[in-house]
Amino acid sequence: MTTVTTVTVRVPAKVNLQLAVGPLRDDGFHDLANVFHAVSLFDEVVAEPADDLTLRVEGDSIDGVPTGEDNLAVRAARLLAERLGVPARAALTIRKSIPVAGGMAGGSADAAAALVACARLWGAETDLHPLAARLGSDVPFALLGGTAVGTGRGEVLTPVTVSGRFHWVFALADGGLSTPAVYAECDRLRELRGERPGPPQASPGLLAALAAGDAEALGAELANDLEPAALSLRPSLRDTLEAGRALGALGALVSGSGPTCAFLADSADRAESLAAALTEAGVARSVVTAHGPVPGATVL
Ligand code: ATP
């Protein structure tokens, strides 16, 4: 028998190709139709044997990441230990590259990675999906990866067929946006404008563009109901989106609850040149390129 000593799990960020937000439910959540797409911007979570549960967070931009019990990776490890009836013993390290509070579900990604890493470290074979759904609406998708439609709060997933690879540029902003604050602003703006959203639905045109691998059609279909709220809370994002469009992006949108902005390009080369031009334009803290879809949380 081999003893597992160190487990490293790589987990992707997501961008929402479509985020349709339905009316506010009685439980305080919104019904969503959420087309998740996993992209090649990764965090790593390392789990090593220890007598206790500890956490270290590493990375260039980790302000705002809790290092104690509030960290989603720690909550994930505790939940798994409780489910298995074992003591929660692991030294966790998060190597962070996904922007914090950036609308790319970095915390959810770390939770999914911690579930996978601790399950391997503790030799457990258990279905992680229900635990992921308890930890947060975006956590199940971080386990699955690829491209998928999420309904309910986003946690009921149906994988989507995608041809080929799509090329992205992400403009990262200074400081984050709080997801609950963005949803609250969305509700406020809708109330103000007398908008009554119907049941949210994934767009057939968007799904057809994904199946065909048609970047131009996909660019035209990108849609995020949270975008007006994110722009209301962070008006400077308008300039970022406009700059990307003017520089030839096939489509541009705020990622999830923002403030990261996502731009679609028709090739890896075009993505690199768009990233350079956006950097030059000075409309973002930093600019990175990535491609999707990529697999969910994976043991390296
Ligand atoms: P989403 O797109 O799912 O709404 P987000 O990408 O906007 O999320 P996250 O980076 O997931 O935001 O972080 C949101 C908040 O969660 C942070 O401000 C932080 O307080 C808390 N948090 C808890 N655990 C983590 C973690 N491992 N990494 C980052 N943030 C975490």
Side-chain angles (χ1 to χ4, degrees), residues 17 37 165-169 214-220 222 244 248-253 262-267 270-271 274:
L17 306 178
H37 182 68
R165 176 180 267 200
F166 292 99
H167 301 279
W168 296 95
V169 178
D214 184 339
E216 201 168 331
L218 180 62
L222 297 173
L250 297 177
L253 87 174
F263 304 92
L264 185 60
D266 53 12
S267 68
R270 288 285 303 143
L274 178 58

Side-chain angles (χ1 to χ4, degrees), residues 4-82:
V4 176
T5 51
T6 300
V7 185
T8 302
V9 173
R10 192 171 82 159
V11 67
K14 59 85 184 161
V15 58
N16 303 84
L17 306 178
Q18 183 195 358
L19 181 43
V21 180
L24 186 62
R25 307 190 315 201
D26 290 342
D27 65 2
F29 289 99
H30 296 78
D31 272 321
L32 303 177
N34 202 340
V35 183
F36 292 107
H37 182 68
V39 295
S40 59
L41 250 182
F42 299 104
D43 278 0
E44 283 180 7
V45 173
V46 182
E48 293 166 284
D51 294 333
D52 210 344
L53 184 60
T54 60
L55 175 69
R56 200 169 64 215
V57 183
E58 298 174 350
D60 293 336
S61 298
I62 54 172
D63 278 1
V65 180
T67 52
E69 293 295 320
D70 284 351
N71 193 291
L72 274 170
V74 172
R75 287 182 40 209
R78 292 233 182 266
L79 186 64
L80 177 65
E82 189 185 302

Side-chain angles (χ1 to χ4, degrees), residues 154-176:
E155 81 287 12
V156 184
L157 295 173
T158 310
V160 164
T161 307
V162 175
S163 297
R165 176 180 267 200
F166 292 99
H167 301 279
W168 296 95
V169 178
F170 295 100
L172 316 188
D174 272 323

Side-chain angles (χ1 to χ4, degrees), residues 237-249 263 274 277-278 281 283:
L237 296 180
R238 273 180 213 286
D239 296 341
T240 311
L241 291 174
E242 267 318 304
R245 290 191 183 108
L247 289 164
F263 304 92
L274 178 58
L278 278 167
V283 289

